[in-house]
Amino acid sequence: MNKTEIINLRDEAFQHLTTELLPFWTNRMKDEVNGGFITHFDKDGNDTGEDEKSLIAQTRCLYTVASAHRAGYGNGELAELAKHGADFLLNKMWDEKFGGFYWMVDRKGNVKIDEKIIYGHSFAIYSLSEYTLATGDKRGIEYAGKVFDMLQKYCVDSRYGGYWEMFHRDWTLKGPGSAGGDRKTLDVHMHLMEAFTTLYECSGKEVHRRKLLEDIDLLLNVINHPKYKTGIPQFFKDWTVAPQIKFDIIWGWDRFSEEGQKGNATDNTCYGHNAEFAWLLIHALEILKISPESYAETFKIIFDHTVDNGIDTEFGGVYVEGPHSGGVYDREKEFWQQAEVLIGMLDGVILFNEKKYWEAYKNVHRFVFDKVINKGIGEWYPLLSRKGEPIWTHMGHSWKINYHTVRSMVQSIRRLDIILAKQ
């Protein structure tokens, strides 16, 4: 590895984060009239006027500004922005009668969808814990703890393990099929891992540690493929593999809006998810004070599978998904998968010091900076063709927000600094 090359890549990421990416959001996202964050922007960064504030977008924005502040960016302004977001979340989106957060409100905070969706609550725990760690405001950990307790009370499957995910307002489980009441997913259990990690980091409570370890065990031994260690997207209640279907409450299914079930519905794995799972697990182990090297074999299998199957060596970037045994189904390029593989490949470099992970990192880095970033605007295109031509051009909506992009740059810079220190 060439030290000058590392420095140049690190500087490119730092300049993008500090002069383009963070300013894109800090200059636009604060709703001065109603509180909370504006999250819907077109290709030029203009507010589209969409009258909604989703739990997932509000919490992800809160996490973004709080974590960037904790990482040393923003000269204190991000802490004020985080408080602005936390105020709206707690004052407008919390259900005073049944507890938990509504899934969707309008810009003023009037309820549009009152259901309790665990995907969104995982990010409530994640962002509110991060908010307290970043600012010291105790409301964050108070409400993160409340949500955690509700998950244990209403959502745990005490027979088969794991968590149910789709509930009505009063925490009664929704019906089967597209309502999602009979399904368990990789997505939710992986995000609960990152949420419980930050919750435990903030609270230090033994029960938070215990539930984090329980979730990790489930992810490693049930949700990941036994041979390939790749993530399996959906399951029935007893953890038999279920066909991957679209739920009524969706996230990330925009591309399949007309379909009820994916092609290859029981044999597909997502390269971005696999890399994200690996680096989030490494971070969780560090917070738990467990050496990641004790899981080195698993990390090696995941990272190798990502490099061998997910990296496009011809045009650059990361493919969407393919079969567990190897290969590619979907050759388009999604923004968030590029973001997560950047972090994962740098963890591969740190853990194993192997050239192929560094080459994979450089491949994706170059694709992001040459193709994915909307030049002159500062955010990333959400979806591109294999060659890097934008297919979707909006800069923000409820499912495409700053969480992946800003976190990717913050975490990549931190890892590049670690690699530089070892040179």
Side-chain angles (χ1 to χ4, degrees), residues 341-361:
V341 170
L342 285 174
I343 308 171
M345 290 301 98
L346 289 177
D347 267 354
V349 172
I350 293 167
L351 207 54
F352 300 106
N353 196 30
E354 290 193 18
K355 183 180 179 182
K356 64 182 173 183
Y357 303 133
W358 179 242
E359 293 300 321
Y361 170 79

Side-chain angles (χ1 to χ4, degrees), residues 325-388:
S325 59
V328 187
Y329 290 144
D330 189 340
R331 285 181 163 81
E332 289 178 341
K333 312 286 171 64
E334 292 178 328
F335 83 103
W336 70 268
Q337 305 212 33
Q338 318 305 312
E340 299 305 327
V341 170
L342 285 174
I343 308 171
M345 290 301 98
L346 289 177
D347 267 354
V349 172
I350 293 167
L351 207 54
F352 300 106
N353 196 30
E354 290 193 18
K355 183 180 179 182
K356 64 182 173 183
Y357 303 133
W358 179 242
E359 293 300 321
Y361 170 79
K362 289 194 297 179
N363 172 307
V364 181
H365 178 108
R366 199 70 272 133
F367 183 79
V368 166
F369 280 82
D370 292 347
K371 300 289 187 179
V372 184
I373 295 170
N374 186 357
K375 301 295 192 300
I377 302 299
E379 244 296 335
W380 301 16
Y381 290 114
L383 180 68
L384 303 98
S385 70
R386 183 186 176 191
K387 292 183 179 180

Side-chain angles (χ1 to χ4, degrees), residues 1 3 28 44 58 62 64 66 75 83 107 114 175 180 182 196 200 225 234 239 263 273 294 329 338 370 379 404 421:
M1 293 170 64
K3 187 173 182 179
R28 290 172 173 83
D44 299 314
Q58 295 301 306
L62 175 58
T64 295
N75 298 316
K83 182 182 182 300
R107 289 201 177 193
D114 65 7
D182 64 341
F196 291 173
Y200 173 61
H225 192 284
Q234 287 185 21
W239 295 105
H273 262 158
S294 57
Y329 290 144
Q338 318 305 312
D370 292 347
E379 244 296 335
H404 287 289

Side-chain angles (χ1 to χ4, degrees), residues 214-232:
E214 186 181 282
D215 191 39
I216 289 171
D217 182 67
L218 194 63
L219 285 158
L220 284 171
N221 298 311
V222 177
I223 295 175
N224 276 4
H225 192 284
K227 179 178 180 181
Y228 302 109
K229 308 303 180 188
T230 44
I232 300 169

Side-chain angles (χ1 to χ4, degrees), residues 65 67 157 171 263 293 393:
V65 292
S67 62
D157 181 349
W171 292 99
E293 292 180 4
T393 58

Side-chain angles (χ1 to χ4, degrees), residues 17 27 69 79 88 91 119 127-128 169 216 222 269 304 413:
L17 174 64
N27 293 336
H69 173 72
F88 183 86
N91 296 333
Y119 187 85
S127 63
L128 288 165
R169 181 189 174 189
I216 289 171
V222 177
T269 192
D304 285 354
I413 290 164

